[in-house]
């Protein structure tokens, strides 16, 4: 049996592994952000709340990608722990002991589910070069 040793091959494989992880992370980021856009557009146009100052609509953003239980996700709008100048948006969305909820984020997700799936699949295909 012939044996052959390739110098630097392990390093090359490690670099390739790092590159593939970077490419996968970039594709994931693009897919999640593209899927979030219809929700953000919808909540910025909603009539479920009045926004006299315009601060809430302007402050609603697509967040950073997060990981939970091995899966990646992206937050849109407002977080429960938000203490920024648009903190009151969480009271509209989830209500308080004194105020009934008037959700605008969850309905935007539900309304756009099929559109989101299409956009995310298209973005994934584009990222994979299909």
């Amino acid at each position: 049996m012939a044996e052959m040793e390739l110098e630097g091959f392990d390093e090359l494989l490690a670099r390739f592994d790092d590159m593939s992880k970077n490419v996968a992370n970039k594709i994931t980021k693009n897919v999640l952000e593209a899927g979030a856009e219809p929700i953000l557009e919808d909540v910025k146009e909603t009539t479920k709340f009045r926004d006299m100052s315009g601060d809430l609509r302007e402050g609603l953003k697509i967040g950073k990608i997060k990981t939970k239980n091995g899966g990646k996700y992206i937050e849109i709008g407002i977080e429960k722990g938000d203490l920024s100048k648009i903190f009151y948006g969480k009271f509209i969305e989830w209500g308080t002991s004194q105020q009934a909820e008037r959700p605008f984020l969850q309905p935007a997700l539900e309304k756009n589910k099929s559109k989101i799936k299409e956009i995310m699949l298209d973005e994934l295909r584009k990222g994979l070069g299909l």
Side-chain angles (χ1 to χ4, degrees):
M1 185 178 331
E3 287 187 27
M4 184 164 73
E5 186 175 316
L6 298 172
E7 282 188 40
F9 194 67
D10 288 339
E11 182 182 328
L12 184 62
L13 284 175
R15 282 188 181 182
F16 182 74
D17 190 42
D18 286 344
M19 282 175 38
S20 64
K21 286 177 187 170
N22 288 337
V23 169
N25 286 338
K26 183 173 174 53
I27 291 171
T28 300
K29 180 180 184 295
N30 291 344
V31 167
L32 289 173
E33 287 177 349
E37 281 296 329
I39 299 168
L40 185 63
E41 290 171 16
D42 195 280
V43 297
K44 286 193 173 202
E45 296 173 5
T46 189
T47 58
K48 299 211 180 227
F49 63 87
R50 289 188 5 211
D51 186 17
M52 292 188 214
S53 68
D55 289 344
L56 181 55
R57 290 181 204 284
E58 186 180 317
L60 296 171
K61 304 281 185 224
I62 295 172
K64 293 182 180 177
I65 295 174
K66 297 183 179 183
T67 303
K68 183 176 184 179
N69 298 329
K72 295 191 180 211
Y73 67 98
I74 195 164
E75 291 181 337
I76 304 145
I78 200 164
E79 295 178 15
K80 284 194 176 191
D82 193 320
L83 298 174
S84 71
K85 70 179 182 177
I86 63 166
F87 75 96
Y88 60 91
K90 60 187 170 184
F91 304 139
I92 297 169
E93 180 72 15
W94 297 292
T96 68
S97 61
Q98 308 274 314
Q99 173 183 316
E101 63 183 36
R102 289 179 287 150
F104 57 95
L105 293 165
Q106 188 64 35
L109 169 64
E110 296 301 324
K111 175 182 166 187
N112 290 288
K113 269 189 178 177
S114 61
K115 185 178 184 180
I116 292 165
K117 285 179 187 176
E118 287 177 34
I119 289 170
M120 291 176 81
L121 280 172
D122 287 345
E123 192 65 34
L124 181 58
R125 286 186 190 106
K126 188 168 70 174
L128 295 173
L130 303 176

